Amino acid sequence: MSQLLTDGEIDAALAELPHWHRAGQSLVRTIEAPTFPDAIALVDRVAVVAEEANHHPDIDIKWRKVTFALSTHSAGGITESDPALARRIDEEARRSGL
């Protein structure tokens, strides 16, 4: 099972992830796309990288806004898998111009 990150490790990871914040035991980012289809396309791309990583975010879609919440549920909090996937989500958002 994955090791939980310490508060200091989470803070250090967030220092490198400026669009993300901590909400309880999750890392969270909301991305607003120009259109609803653009938002869904981003979710589709994130689904592919999440499947490759075998680590899946909670995703909330509200019109053009997509909120990703990352937590390692099996470990009960934030592990290294979460900032790693956050970086991949950021890459997909950049590729989409978001």
Side-chain angles (χ1 to χ4, degrees):
M1 182 156 85
S2 300
Q3 288 273 115
L4 291 174
L5 297 180
T6 65
D7 287 338
E9 290 169 328
I10 294 168
D11 291 342
L14 287 171
E16 298 176 3
L17 296 164
H19 302 291
W20 294 81
H21 68 276
R22 183 177 185 175
Q25 294 302 313
S26 297
L27 302 180
V28 178
R29 178 179 181 188
T30 298
I31 300 171
E32 186 167 353
T35 67
F36 181 71
D38 289 334
I40 296 303
L42 174 63
V43 170
D44 285 342
R45 286 189 294 282
V46 168
V48 171
V49 298
E51 192 68 13
E52 288 171 0
N54 194 31
H55 190 61
H56 306 89
D58 292 334
I59 303 172
D60 183 39
I61 306 166
K62 290 191 168 81
W63 187 36
R64 299 178 304 141
K65 291 183 180 180
V66 181
T67 300
F68 298 98
L70 304 174
S71 182
T72 304
H73 300 292
S74 61
I78 300 167
T79 67
E80 182 51 45
S81 296
D82 301 302
L85 185 55
R87 288 188 284 277
R88 300 277 313 270
I89 291 171
D90 285 351
E91 288 173 19
E92 293 304 319
R94 273 191 298 280
R95 286 187 186 129
S96 301
L98 304 173

